[in-house]
Amino acid sequence: MADTVFTPEVVAQIMRHMNDDHADDNVLIVRGLGGQPEATTAARMSGMDADGMDFTAIVDGAEVPVRIPFSERLTERRQVRGEAARMYHEACAVLGVTPRS
């Protein structure tokens, strides 16, 4: 079922939203949860499936792929928002950054 929920069109919509509206959050997520603390300038969501989100981070001028797993396998599109928010808040906690309200 997850494969039919996350069609290429749905993934493109989610990526557009994350990259257009949450670009700074992407950087925090990659730094805090993706093992790339030196990715301080840019990170773009590059894909996703039912098990996690993929990002491309800029580290020392080079593109680095980063995979962040979801806390559980997703079966519905509406779950993505909660997982993205969880990732953001967990990354803020790891980095000692106060999350926005």
Side-chain angles (χ1 to χ4, degrees), residues 6 45 47-55 66-74 83 86-87:
F6 302 114
M45 186 179 168
M48 68 163 284
D49 58 27
D51 297 310
M53 285 186 181
D54 299 305
F55 296 88
V66 178
R67 173 84 170 169
I68 310 291
F70 293 135
S71 62
E72 63 183 1
R73 186 172 181 84
L74 304 188
E83 278 298 302
R86 175 196 62 80
M87 289 177 181

Side-chain angles (χ1 to χ4, degrees), residues 8 13 21 23 33 37-38 40 45 47 49 62 70 72 76 88 98:
Q13 291 170 355
D21 298 342
L33 302 181
E38 60 284 348
T40 58
M45 186 179 168
D49 58 27
F70 293 135
E72 63 183 1
E76 298 179 20
Y88 167 74
T98 302

Side-chain angles (χ1 to χ4, degrees), residues 20-83:
D20 291 350
D21 298 342
H22 300 286
D24 292 340
D25 299 350
N26 291 346
V27 173
L28 288 172
I29 290 167
V30 166
R31 288 181 60 218
L33 302 181
Q36 297 295 334
E38 60 284 348
T40 58
T41 59
R44 294 189 56 79
M45 186 179 168
S46 56
M48 68 163 284
D49 58 27
D51 297 310
M53 285 186 181
D54 299 305
F55 296 88
T56 300
I58 303 300
V59 179
D60 295 328
E63 291 187 351
V64 176
V66 178
R67 173 84 170 169
I68 310 291
F70 293 135
S71 62
E72 63 183 1
R73 186 172 181 84
L74 304 188
T75 58
E76 298 179 20
R77 181 179 179 169
R78 64 187 173 114
Q79 294 172 290
V80 175
R81 182 177 183 180
E83 278 298 302

Side-chain angles (χ1 to χ4, degrees), residues 4-16 77:
T4 60
V5 173
F6 302 114
T7 63
E9 294 80 17
V10 167
V11 171
Q13 291 170 355
I14 293 168
M15 286 174 27
R16 187 170 36 256
R77 181 179 179 169

